[in-house]
Amino acid sequence: MSDVVQKLWGFCHTLRHDGIDYGDYIEQITYLLFIKMADERSVKLPEGCDWKTLMEKSGTNLSDHYVDVLRTLGQQPGLLGDIFAGALSRFTNPVNLKKLIGLIDETAWTELNVDVKAEAFEGLLEKAASEGKKGAGQYFTPRTLIQSIVRCVKPYPRKKADFTICDPACGTGGFLICSYEWLIDKTGGALERDLAKRVRKGTYFGQDLVARPRRLALMNLFLRNLEPEIKFGDSIYENPDSRRFDVVLTNPPFGTKGANQAPDRDDFVVSTSNKQLNFVQHVMTILKPGGRAAVVVPDNVLFADQAGEVFKVLTEDCNLHTILRLPNGTFTPYSPGTKTNVLFFTKGFSTETIWVYDDRTNVPGITKKDRPLTPEYFAEFEKVYGADPNGGSKRNVADSKEDRWHSFHISEVKERNYKIDSLKWLKDDSLDDADDLPEPEELATDAIEELRGAVDELQKVVVLLENGNGSDTTHGV
């Protein structure tokens, strides 16, 4: 797949001279890949919109036909029309369009045992990130991590007639796709008629604020003969409807700032502009009672201002039974210095004990070439997590060979003011070795987060002074 990505990326440089930037180019690739893969999988498209007609034309006839194809597909009812809604050709030179169609035609995409468009999309985003393009990382969650989370949470729709799965920040649909692939693997693809009907339409839901990854998510699931409901909109600043879900799996975009103001949400107990903390509150809202969730969050969310308040509510209303501290560099190359965790919780049961698996301390950081993220990084965690997706399996500290598995009673968490980042027990040997200090980008990320926290506190003081409350504040010092 990397060779294909390299070829497609090389052509992107050519297209820049045609006025097509890397974002537009990636979007055009997704349109053409969809039509090519629909042809390979014998998915019926409207007459005249098939891959063969694109291959047969050239020159202005091809350019005009491509415009017509996108318009026709966008006018179709249902999911197909939703996928191509607003789709436009960005090609001004038909020679470049013809060359890209030829490049795509050289590969039998459905024979590659990967999520093709997401792999190509993420590969191109990775190239863009390495060249300093901004915003690429917002779409990306490593598939190895997603698969591990899915194996733990077990989003199994067979046991309930109205079972639903949601990702409120779905990006290209990785969590939804892996949930479906896990189901097919578990059942061998043998689904009863009623279950197959439910799975096809009525099981997978999502939302995303960015149009391009949402379109990819719709395409990816459509080509698996699924009809998901994926909304286009802001999960945090728009009030959710009444629908609730059995499983929520999500990796909200990194960064703590939302619209620099707290959302007007009656269901949020804690009023904050911190985007990540608001996503945690949002997940609590959209879960059904008894529903379970896994949420990826960066370290700064665990010690941010008001984090203690949010996690107090979380542990009172949900069983925060497990935290996975991810290896450094998990999100390389997009956010290599960002330290991240996964929160696993079940709604409707208060927390008594939090189990933490430290997969970071004294673990060599992930790199793209020398130490890529592999399933082995999560093998022991999955074992100690246990078979119960709600974290109810019998657990023992001794189950971890390197003392990476530890439990904390809720009373200890209360003593630490619900600051989850303080739940640590392993000594970081790298801090004692001058030759093995954290990477510069990791140190820089930590420093930036501390500075952001300090700025937030200063801004609050400024607001108090502007409101005339400064004297009351200083008298208590």
Side-chain angles (χ1 to χ4, degrees), residues 315-375:
T315 54
E316 289 173 348
D317 294 350
C318 301
N319 179 17
L320 176 59
H321 53 80
T322 309
I323 298 174
L324 169 61
R325 191 167 287 134
L326 294 171
N328 287 322
T330 293
F331 286 84
T332 297
Y334 305 102
S335 302
T338 302
K339 298 179 180 180
T340 48
N341 314 266
V342 186
L343 311 176
F344 297 85
F345 55 90
T346 303
K347 183 175 178 177
F349 307 91
S350 60
T351 304
E352 294 184 2
T353 301
I354 299 176
W355 284 84
V356 181
Y357 189 89
D358 188 343
D359 210 2
R360 180 188 308 162
T361 304
N362 303 323
V363 174
I366 305 301
T367 62
K368 182 61 182 176
K369 293 183 178 180
D370 299 330
R371 289 191 300 271
L373 190 66
T374 64

Side-chain angles (χ1 to χ4, degrees), residues 21 32 43 94 98 109 120 126 148 150 159 207-208 222 255 258 277 311 328 360 389 423 428 435 438 441:
D21 67 20
L32 294 168
V43 175
K98 183 70 175 179
W109 297 89
E126 183 180 316
S148 178
V150 167
K159 296 182 179 180
Q207 184 163 335
D208 204 89
F222 181 87
L277 290 177
F311 281 96
N328 287 322
R360 180 188 308 162
L423 304 182
D428 191 343
D435 294 327
E441 63 266 24

